[in-house]
């Protein structure tokens, strides 16, 4: 059994399962400690408090299925992270890294959603190879359906995975966990549908020679 610690940084409840759900299930089954950090959520003034509470309840149900060890919710209002001082956002995220002391970090790709971009920047600060950052072996960005693939081709960075994790034995766990997010998952052909999510996993898997996979872009890796 491994004693390695992992942080999955998610802008909102469901991003962690959409992008890393199969990998979380796989690594937790291998004995890794998986901590999920949810930075933002559907909070006032743009959303009702009840909406946020519903998504958090769904998140806990999903975490239980995936085998998440622990989780932290920073409760910053969705799409309004940019209204907070940068140093405050960086500090709150970095504090979780100081507490967990991760060996592996998964973060959102800087895509169409402004929260994803800002949180990516903060994670780059938290994972600098100084202090506890020197013990981080892998920093990788994950893709999120309905956001990552809406970047303008060739004008903005496009997600091109250089690491695919085989989740063939865990795709059913990922899909079961995603079904917990009833407030977020939609009917096909919406990109955040079970069919589309399974289709992406099948595509990423076949890119690497196996049944189902999750794609990542490695930002930094030490061996």
């Amino acid at each position: 059994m491994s004693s390695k610690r992992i942080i999955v940084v998610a802008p909102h409840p469901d991003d962690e399962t959409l992008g890393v759900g199969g990998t979380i299930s796989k690594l937790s089954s291998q004995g890794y400690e998986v901590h999920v950090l949810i930075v933002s959520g559907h909070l006032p003034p743009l959303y009702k408090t009840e909406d946020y509470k519903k998504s958090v309840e769904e998140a806990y149900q999903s975490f239980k299925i995936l085998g998440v060890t622990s989780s932290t919710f920073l409760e910053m209002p969705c799409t309004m992270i940019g209204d907070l001082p940068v140093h405050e956002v960086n500090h709150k995220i970095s504090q979780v890294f100081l507490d967990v002391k991760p060996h592996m970090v998964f973060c959102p790709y800087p895509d169409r959603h402004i929260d994803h971009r800002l949180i990516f920047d903060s994670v780059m600060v938290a994972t600098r190879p100084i202090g506890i950052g020197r013990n981080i072996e892998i920093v990788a960005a994950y893709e999120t359906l309905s956001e990552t693939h809406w970047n303008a081709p060739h004008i903005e960075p496009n997600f091109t995975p250089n690491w695919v994790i085989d989740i063939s034995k865990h795709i059913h766990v990922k899909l079961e966990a995603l079904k917990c997010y009833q407030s977020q998952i939609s009917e096909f052909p919406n990109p955040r549908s079970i069919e589309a999510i399974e289709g992406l996993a099948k595509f990423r898997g076949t890119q690497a020679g196996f049944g189902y996979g999750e794609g990542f872009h490695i930002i930094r890796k030490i061996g």
Side-chain angles (χ1 to χ4, degrees), residues 1-8 20-35 66-69 103-106 138 163 165-167 170 214 216:
M1 299 290 282
S2 174
S3 60
K4 297 288 188 178
R5 294 179 297 278
I6 298 169
I7 286 183
V8 177
V20 201
T23 299
I24 293 173
S25 175
K26 180 174 185 173
L27 295 181
S28 65
S29 72
Q30 295 175 354
Y32 286 74
E33 296 179 16
V34 182
H35 183 95
L66 295 176
V68 171
T69 306
H103 299 96
M104 187 180 300
V105 176
F106 294 101
I138 295 178
W163 183 26
I165 294 180
D166 186 352
I167 64 165
H170 298 269
E214 286 177 335
F216 303 93

Side-chain angles (χ1 to χ4, degrees), residues 104-117:
M104 187 180 300
V105 176
F106 294 101
C107 68
Y109 190 79
D111 58 34
R112 176 54 43 224
H113 201 303
I114 186 62
D115 289 348
H116 295 201
R117 298 183 180 214

